[in-house]
Amino acid sequence: MRKKWITGICASLLSVSLMALCQGAAFAEGNSAALKEGSGKEVKNVILFITDGMSLSDVNLARWYQGGKPLEMDKHFSGLVRTYATDSLTTDSAAGATAYATGHKAKSETVSILPDKTTMPYIDKVPQQDMNKPLPTLVDAARLSGKSTGVVFTCELTDATPATFLSHAYSRENAESIAEQMVYSGVDILLGGGSDYLVPGKGKVNRKDGEDLTKALKANGYEYVTTKKELMNSKTGKLWGLFNKEALDADFDLDPQQQPSLKEMTETAINKLSQNDQGFFLMVEASQIDWFGHDNDPVGIISETLAFDRAFKAAVDFAEKDGHTAVLSVSDHATGGLNMTNYDTATDLMAVLNKAKHTSYGIEGKINEKNFKQVLAEEYGLNDLTKEETVAVRKGLKDNLSPVIGSMLGKRIGVSFSTEDHTSEEVGLFAYHPNNYKPTDYAHSGVVQNIDVNKYIQEITGLQLAPLEKSLFLSAGKFTEKGAEVALDKSDKKNPVVMVKKGGQLLKLPIDKNIAVMDGKTIKLNALTVMIQNKIWVSQDAVDLIR
């Protein structure tokens, strides 16, 4: 399994020139009057795309790959987004996505919790008692308001971005806890990769607690599918689909008979969620632009950027017909620092790139020391390797071949990378609204903060996260205030249970689940019971069970 984050800090090309402009609108209040003027079209549905790691240079490269033809997203470019975390100029995906999911900036590597470290400007420090407190997300707000909810991605389900909308953790690496929380999150539709994260086994990512979470899904009324055929034949509105043991294959590499594309998953989710008259919220992540940025693979970046653009077009097409849907696309950060310095023609660039049949990931397993010249010639048209390139390939075969292939292609088309890390540059904002009211209108600026995007969604839909922050996650100390005793049963070390006793009452709250057990009866709760840094957080409706 690949690592998708590295915690360095890279120089931003835009931050100096935009700093003064951004500061005034950093955390803008909404403008409801502007939203309502001349409207008449209520927004019931929101489709939020997160293009993990996509920079505007990535978008430019994808355009030139198709001869300079504009992309669908070009019609809807609306501004720039600042992405910094509470503790770093450059964010990771967990903190970046947390801002979109919760409306709060977060500390790097944490998943939808308040920060315990704030060193960056224009961010209020969190009171000691609220540090690491879990935060409600847009999925929670939509679900509790009666809307349907969905999450679509091409990575594994526990990766940072999908995790932030459905779980809470001090470390994004706590995959076992995150997976269980996602299963009990109440989301209606979840489509992506990572089936091994749900079941016990001997594999690296299999569950070590012995629980088979596919059984929990089925017990809670979900249909669980693992093939494209099963997905296309599904008739239910409660659906989990995981189409590979870990992440899905890149768009250039996938077998269309076995795995659905990002567009197909997006269309399926929209079709199912739109059956709810009260509306829906859907988050779609183009996950692997980031991975190919880390590995400096321009072909992979093109593959996943174009796959996103097709999914984005499908969403906008639905929105234009529906008349009550807003579609947004943002990136959690940029990755790789791609540069284009091609002084040749577009035809020259296309002549090289159009020979590429697969991403560097797509040839893993079939390229080796003996056949690499043949494979590189067949897969990329690279039949003129220099001595230096031959040496680099042999070394890459033992370590990481992706940046080697990227470098060879890059030299021929004027594409290079400045880093294998994230960068702190502003990212693109793309938006469609039936009344043409955009996040930049909300923020009164062409450059907005990532949390402004969340607040904009709250405003146009009427969803409210602030009240939920007071009721979904409370300290377990609320039980002791009612005279109850609270203990943590660790008899099953992998599955601890909060035990609350008062008089003859005994309340059991399994960690990472949204259920309570009292007097042998299982009760569904509005939120998960979670433990962050050894502190237990419970929902108000759980507290109310103790009289």
Side-chain angles (χ1 to χ4, degrees):
M1 181 176 65
R2 297 176 182 275
K3 289 287 183 183
K4 276 77 72 179
W5 61 273
I6 310 173
T7 57
I9 295 180
C10 303
S12 168
L13 296 177
L14 294 174
S15 59
V16 174
S17 61
L18 293 172
M19 183 71 74
L21 176 63
C22 297
Q23 289 177 0
F27 298 98
E29 299 279 337
N31 187 343
S32 299
L35 172 64
K36 294 174 181 176
E37 276 183 20
S39 66
K41 292 183 179 179
E42 175 193 5
V43 173
K44 296 196 303 181
N45 316 310
V46 171
I47 304 170
L48 172 63
F49 285 86
I50 298 180
T51 49
D52 197 326
M54 189 180 81
S55 69
L56 293 179
S57 292
D58 295 342
V59 176
N60 188 30
L61 179 62
R63 284 193 207 97
W64 286 117
Y65 173 80
Q66 54 184 27
K69 179 183 176 182
L71 301 172
E72 177 66 24
M73 69 181 96
D74 292 347
K75 304 174 188 176
H76 306 286
F77 179 76
S78 301
L80 298 173
V81 182
R82 303 183 72 187
T83 62
Y84 59 88
T86 65
D87 62 332
S88 175
L89 198 69
T90 304
T91 187
D92 83 314
S93 293
T98 291
Y100 295 127
T102 71
H104 288 267
K105 283 186 177 285
K107 188 177 77 169
S108 297
E109 301 175 37
T110 63
V111 178
S112 292
I113 61 175
L114 286 172
D116 60 8
K117 182 180 180 182
T118 302
T119 58
M120 291 294 291
Y122 312 111
I123 305 173
D124 293 333
K125 291 190 177 181
V126 175
Q128 182 75 31
Q129 68 272 17
D130 288 337
M131 289 182 177
N132 302 320
K133 178 180 179 179
L135 289 163
T137 72
L138 288 169
V139 169
D140 293 319
R143 170 176 57 85
L144 294 172
S145 74
K147 294 181 183 293
S148 293
T149 58
V151 173
V152 171
F153 44 90
T154 59
C155 55
E156 58 269 21
L157 78 156
T158 61
D159 202 21
T161 298
T164 60
F165 284 83
L166 303 176
S167 69
H168 313 272
Y170 191 75
S171 170
R172 56 181 287 178
E173 297 300 303
N174 194 2
E176 192 146 304
S177 170
I178 288 169
E180 186 162 48
Q181 290 182 55
M182 294 176 82
V183 166
Y184 286 91
S185 66
V187 69
D188 295 298
I189 305 291
L190 183 142
L191 304 174
S195 58
D196 268 10
Y197 287 82
L198 298 186
V199 294
K202 297 181 180 180
K204 182 179 180 180
V205 302
N206 285 130
R207 296 194 65 77
K208 303 302 184 286
D209 65 356
E211 282 196 85
D212 183 342
L213 293 179
T214 65
K215 293 180 179 179
L217 286 171
K218 294 170 185 176
N220 283 314
Y222 289 94
E223 180 182 7
Y224 177 63
V225 301
T226 56
T227 68
K228 180 177 177 178
K229 183 178 180 180
E230 290 174 337
L231 174 67
M232 296 309 178
N233 291 333
S234 171
K235 305 298 182 184
T236 181
K238 289 190 68 176
L239 174 69
W240 270 53
L242 298 176
F243 307 103
N244 205 16
K245 291 182 178 180
E246 294 193 46
L248 301 185
D249 294 328
D251 197 73
F252 279 8
D253 305 330
L254 65 81
D255 180 347
Q257 301 302 314
Q258 298 299 319
Q259 292 183 17
S261 67
L262 185 63
K263 176 186 175 184
E264 289 169 332
M265 291 192 293
T266 300
E267 289 176 327
T268 299
I270 291 172
N271 289 338
K272 291 181 177 296
L273 297 172
S274 61
Q275 301 304 308
N276 186 344
D277 291 338
Q278 295 186 60
F280 67 85
F281 172 81
L282 171 64
M283 190 285 290
V284 180
E285 185 196 26
S287 313
Q288 298 182 38
I289 302 171
D290 172 67
W291 302 6
F292 290 111
H294 281 303
D295 278 331
N296 291 179
D297 180 349
V299 177
I301 287 172
I302 292 167
S303 165
E304 301 312 280
T305 300
L306 293 179
F308 152 68
D309 198 55
R310 289 189 287 272
F312 184 77
K313 182 180 187 304
V316 172
D317 286 347
F318 168 82
E320 290 177 337
K321 293 177 183 177
D322 174 70
H324 299 283
T325 301
V327 182
L328 303 166
S329 178
V330 289
S331 300
D332 46 3
H333 53 74
T335 304
L338 185 147
N339 302 292
M340 290 188 67
T341 54
N342 191 320
Y343 285 91
D344 297 321
T345 68
T347 302
D348 296 322
L349 180 143
M350 293 168 61
V352 173
L353 285 180
N354 287 346
K355 292 177 183 178
K357 298 177 181 178
H358 292 98
T359 74
S360 58
Y361 299 177
I363 64 170
E364 290 178 353
K366 64 180 180 182
I367 186 170
N368 55 51
E369 179 76 22
K370 294 181 180 180
N371 69 5
F372 72 83
K373 290 185 178 180
Q374 177 185 347
V375 172
L376 292 175
E378 292 176 352
E379 294 288 346
Y380 298 99
L382 291 170
N383 50 19
D384 57 346
L385 302 186
T386 66
K387 290 182 180 179
E388 292 78 8
E389 288 174 337
T390 299
V391 171
V393 171
R394 288 196 170 101
K395 183 178 180 181
L397 284 167
K398 299 175 182 178
D399 181 20
N400 183 6
L401 188 60
S402 296
V404 177
I405 295 174
S407 176
M408 291 190 296
L409 291 171
K411 288 178 182 177
R412 290 159 174 79
I413 59 174
V415 169
S416 62
F417 294 83
S418 64
T419 181
E420 294 179 357
D421 208 337
H422 298 169
T423 66
S424 58
E425 68 199 88
E426 284 74 20
V427 295
L429 167 66
F430 305 86
Y432 169 85
H433 185 285
N435 303 316
N436 203 34
Y437 177 74
K438 307 292 182 67
T440 48
D441 298 315
Y442 168 85
H444 306 293
S445 174
V447 182
V448 305
Q449 287 282 355
N450 47 14
I451 64 169
D452 288 331
V453 175
N454 173 283
K455 293 177 180 179
Y456 162 83
I457 292 172
Q458 290 187 59
E459 181 179 71
I460 63 174
T461 58
L463 299 174
Q464 297 184 48
L465 287 175
L468 296 181
E469 292 176 14
K470 300 177 181 179
S471 64
L472 287 196
F473 298 102
L474 309 175
S475 168
K478 291 292 182 180
F479 286 120
T480 58
E481 292 176 9
K482 299 181 78 170
E485 298 178 5
V486 181
L488 188 64
D489 180 358
K490 296 183 179 180
S491 54
D492 182 347
K493 294 181 180 179
K494 297 289 185 179
N495 294 287
V497 178
V498 180
M499 310 291 285
V500 184
K501 296 180 181 180
K502 183 182 179 184
Q505 292 183 297
L506 175 60
L507 175 65
K508 300 179 181 180
L509 300 169
I511 296 292
D512 294 336
K513 298 179 181 178
N514 68 335
I515 58 174
V517 179
M518 179 172 273
D519 301 326
K521 181 181 178 181
T522 299
I523 303 164
K524 193 171 184 179
L525 301 172
N526 285 336
L528 300 157
T529 299
V530 293
M531 186 163 62
I532 309 292
Q533 294 294 87
N534 296 317
K535 184 173 181 178
I536 298 166
W537 300 89
V538 299
S539 61
Q540 181 66 59
D541 57 341
V543 174
D544 291 341
L545 291 173
I546 294 295
R547 299 184 295 275

